[in-house]
Amino acid sequence: MYLSEYLSKNCEDTSLNKVIINLSIAANKISKVIRNLNNDINIKGVSKTKNFDGDIQKPLDILSDEMLMELMRNAPVSGYASEEQEGFVDLKNDHDLIVIADPLDGSSNIDVNVSIGTIFSIMSQNNLPLEHAFLQKGSKQKAAGFFVYGPQITLFLTFGKGTIAFGLDENKSEFILINDKIKIPKSTSEFAINASYSRFWDKATSNYIKDCQEGKDGPKGKDFGMRWVGSLVADASRIFNRGGIFLYPSDKRLKNKQGRLRLTYEANPLAMLIKEAGGKATNGIKDILDVEVEDIHQRSPLIFGSSEEVEEFIYYSKNL
Ligand code: AHG
Ligand code: MN
Ligand code: MN
């Protein structure tokens, strides 16, 4: 079944449907730029610009942002915000929906032909001025999802009735349903963390990972494997398929005191998808979806995945 047909059967909100369809059109275009080696832009190009936060912007970051914004202008959306722009864009209309995006997640993997993606979060403006609407908590999201540009182009989507996966049929340029009820296994023996930062970790993270590494002979009593792609969308996609725990905790580096990932366009959409698939997402203390938002670009620790393992991490966090 095609995405448009699935939405018209299962999601009554026609404005939301239109926004999701336009996001899928943008993702289709972005994926073509990534796959086509004969582009006008050099997607592997060295960037000349940095975003307001000092992150290096690659040509593909900027192009993806422009493509998304263009498609959002033609959808019932009143405001758009993204990792690539400091403030939000007021689309100057009286529509109700707002969209926040990470246009290109995993930019460090563009050059090495490893999966990258686009993450999005959709909320109602709820009659608030836009500057306040963008600061609503993750629990207010109406829909969230991400596209993965990998060996297959996939979409993980939720509009509050479970988490669903679609894959792109490139001949027809349409997304087709591949799983209408994703369930993340409760237990796992696979963790994902960038272990090169272990010297910066807090006690909870150090102890939890040490216990995983001790395997069968340690307190957890089972052997663990480790994966780290370096693209949140790719690590999350693996966890939706076979379970696992992902950890990007806060650490002692000045820039990462509040974690590295962004709350509104990375942690929140992931947390809604994870919750709808039966998993858990936390900052170590609080459910991600309940964290107050003070800034569109606020960072947050993010730990998510199989519920039993995430609960165990929370136990380490609260008792150390
Ligand atoms: P972005 O490319 O949008 O800035 O996000 C990259 C993020 C995320 O995709 C990934 O999980 C994380 O950065 C990797 O961080 P490290 O390079 O510190 O491992
Ligand atoms: Mn990102
Ligand atoms: Mn990005």
Side-chain angles (χ1 to χ4, degrees):
M1 191 190 303
Y2 292 129
L3 175 63
S4 50
E5 195 186 343
Y6 184 90
L7 289 172
S8 53
K9 280 195 177 140
N10 295 285
C11 176
E12 309 77 46
D13 186 333
T14 49
S15 299
L16 194 56
N17 288 358
K18 174 74 180 150
V19 175
I20 295 168
I21 292 294
N22 275 23
L23 286 166
S24 78
I25 295 170
N28 199 345
K29 288 186 171 186
I30 296 169
S31 76
K32 289 207 163 62
V33 175
I34 294 167
R35 280 167 183 246
N36 186 359
L37 295 177
N38 193 16
N39 288 305
D40 292 338
I41 70 150
N42 176 9
I43 68 160
K44 290 190 172 184
V46 183
S47 72
K48 293 179 191 67
T49 53
K50 289 188 174 176
N51 68 13
F52 59 90
D53 210 20
D55 289 346
I56 289 170
Q57 284 179 308
K58 297 202 168 182
L60 195 57
D61 286 316
I62 299 165
L63 187 74
S64 306
D65 187 42
E66 286 168 358
M67 284 176 165
L68 282 169
M69 200 163 51
E70 180 62 31
L71 264 301
M72 293 305 97
R73 280 188 200 284
N74 293 309
V77 169
S78 58
Y80 170 80
S82 91
E83 183 183 9
E84 305 309 328
Q85 308 193 32
E86 184 161 9
F88 55 84
V89 182
D90 182 347
L91 297 175
K92 298 208 174 1
N93 57 52
D94 51 19
H95 292 306
D96 172 52
L97 297 173
I98 58 169
V99 173
I100 316 181
D102 178 352
L104 210 282
D105 176 66
S107 348
S108 70
N109 278 325
I110 297 172
D111 300 0
V112 291
N113 197 19
V114 167
S115 296
I116 48 184
T118 296
I119 313 176
F120 60 89
S121 162
I122 308 173
M123 290 196 245
S124 161
Q125 189 177 335
N126 279 325
N127 296 317
L128 296 163
L130 277 177
E131 54 270 37
H132 294 149
F134 280 106
L135 304 182
Q136 296 176 91
K137 285 196 279 198
S139 57
K140 297 282 184 189
Q141 292 172 108
K142 285 195 123 172
F146 64 85
F147 297 91
V148 185
Y149 313 119
Q152 298 160 350
I153 315 288
T154 52
L155 161 64
F156 290 83
L157 172 70
T158 180
F159 42 88
K161 293 185 184 169
T163 295
I164 323 134
F166 296 85
L168 183 64
D169 174 341
E170 292 200 56
N171 295 326
K172 298 211 166 86
S173 286
E174 292 267 10
F175 281 87
I176 47 176
L177 183 65
I178 46 185
N179 187 343
D180 66 352
K181 202 174 185 5
I182 295 181
K183 273 263 151 254
I184 299 176
K186 280 192 171 28
S187 66
T188 182
S189 45
E190 199 164 67
F191 66 85
I193 192 165
N194 188 334
S196 68
Y197 306 138
S198 61
R199 69 189 186 282
F200 304 121
W201 290 344
D202 53 32
K203 259 206 135 23
T205 309
S206 302
N207 286 1
Y208 175 77
I209 297 297
K210 180 175 83 38
D211 289 353
C212 290
Q213 286 170 329
E214 281 178 13
K216 264 208 208 90
D217 306 327
K220 297 176 78 63
K222 61 177 174 181
D223 290 334
F224 276 75
M226 195 196 87
R227 292 286 184 279
W228 183 256
V229 181
S231 291
L232 177 59
V233 290
D235 281 309
S237 167
R238 184 187 60 255
I239 289 172
F240 281 113
N241 280 296
R242 65 174 194 223
I245 178 169
F246 172 102
L247 307 98
Y248 210 124
S250 56
D251 66 41
K252 297 191 182 93
R253 288 169 297 169
L254 201 57
K255 224 181 157 185
N256 289 28
K257 281 217 168 353
Q258 304 302 322
R260 147 106 155 84
L261 299 175
R262 313 307 180 115
L263 180 58
T264 63
Y265 43 83
E266 292 180 316
N268 276 342
L270 255 300
M272 182 176 182
L273 289 158
I274 288 284
K275 181 179 169 208
E276 291 287 331
K280 260 184 142 352
T282 178
N283 65 5
I285 309 284
K286 252 184 160 176
D287 191 321
I288 289 288
L289 298 174
D290 294 328
V291 175
E292 299 288 343
V293 184
E294 278 157 22
D295 185 286
I296 292 177
H297 301 286
Q298 179 171 328
R299 294 174 193 265
S300 169
L302 174 61
I303 295 92
F304 70 83
S306 295
S307 57
E308 284 177 9
E309 233 22 76
V310 175
E311 271 155 23
E312 205 159 318
F313 179 83
I314 294 171
Y315 179 83
Y316 279 65
S317 255
K318 291 193 171 160
N319 293 285
L320 285 170

